[in-house]
Amino acid sequence: MPDTGHTFEAYLKRATTPLLVLQMLSEQPMYPYQIMQEVNKRSGGVYKMPLLYTVMDRLQQQGFVYESKKEISESNRVRNYYALTEAGGIHLQKLKEQYSQFTSIINEILFPSDK
């Protein structure tokens, strides 16, 4: 079978990145690189996020996040901070419920408990 570049890990990240972004923003406003660093740190370096520009744009267009402020860093880079909207908080809860349900079912299929 030819390698299409679409690995299980790539598909999983594509599906879970918005969930993780919303979770990080539910804790505090952040800029995209900060989100990437925090997820990398919390996962022990296992979950390396892709660039978040398209994800942030999509979440903003969907009304789940908004640009809360801009800041100039010490290296003269503009940092756009994003925050969660009320709709984003509601969407995050739905995603977390779906994620929990699906992972529970998949884990039970893959790793059945002895009955």
Side-chain angles (χ1 to χ4, degrees), residues 4-78:
T4 62
H6 300 293
T7 64
F8 176 75
E9 182 179 356
Y11 281 118
L12 187 61
K13 282 184 177 181
R14 184 173 181 188
T16 57
T17 294
L19 170 64
L20 293 175
V21 167
L22 292 173
Q23 177 61 39
M24 293 296 102
L25 294 178
S26 75
E27 297 172 13
Q28 68 180 23
M30 297 175 138
Y31 54 95
Y33 185 68
Q34 182 182 16
I35 294 169
M36 292 166 58
Q37 288 178 311
E38 186 62 25
V39 169
N40 188 31
K41 180 178 122 188
R42 291 187 192 187
S43 72
V46 173
Y47 196 111
K48 292 178 177 60
M49 291 185 122
L51 293 176
L52 295 177
Y53 299 111
T54 55
V55 173
M56 299 309 290
D57 286 344
R58 191 174 336 108
L59 291 172
Q60 194 169 16
Q61 288 171 1
Q62 293 170 324
F64 299 142
V65 303
Y66 68 97
E67 227 176 86
S68 62
K69 69 176 179 175
K70 288 186 183 200
E71 194 176 85
I72 305 293
S73 71
E74 293 139 14
S75 60
N76 279 338
R77 298 185 117 183
V78 176

Side-chain angles (χ1 to χ4, degrees), residues 76-115:
N76 279 338
R77 298 185 117 183
V78 176
R79 288 184 177 155
N80 294 327
Y81 283 79
Y82 292 86
L84 202 62
T85 63
E86 185 177 338
I90 293 167
H91 185 62
L92 172 60
Q93 289 310 311
K94 287 179 185 176
L95 289 178
K96 287 166 82 168
E97 289 168 13
Q98 287 177 332
Y99 179 83
S100 178
Q101 181 183 22
F102 280 114
T103 55
S104 224
I105 291 166
I106 290 168
N107 281 334
E108 189 57 38
I109 293 169
L110 294 176
F111 312 105
S113 55
D114 293 331
K115 294 182 180 180

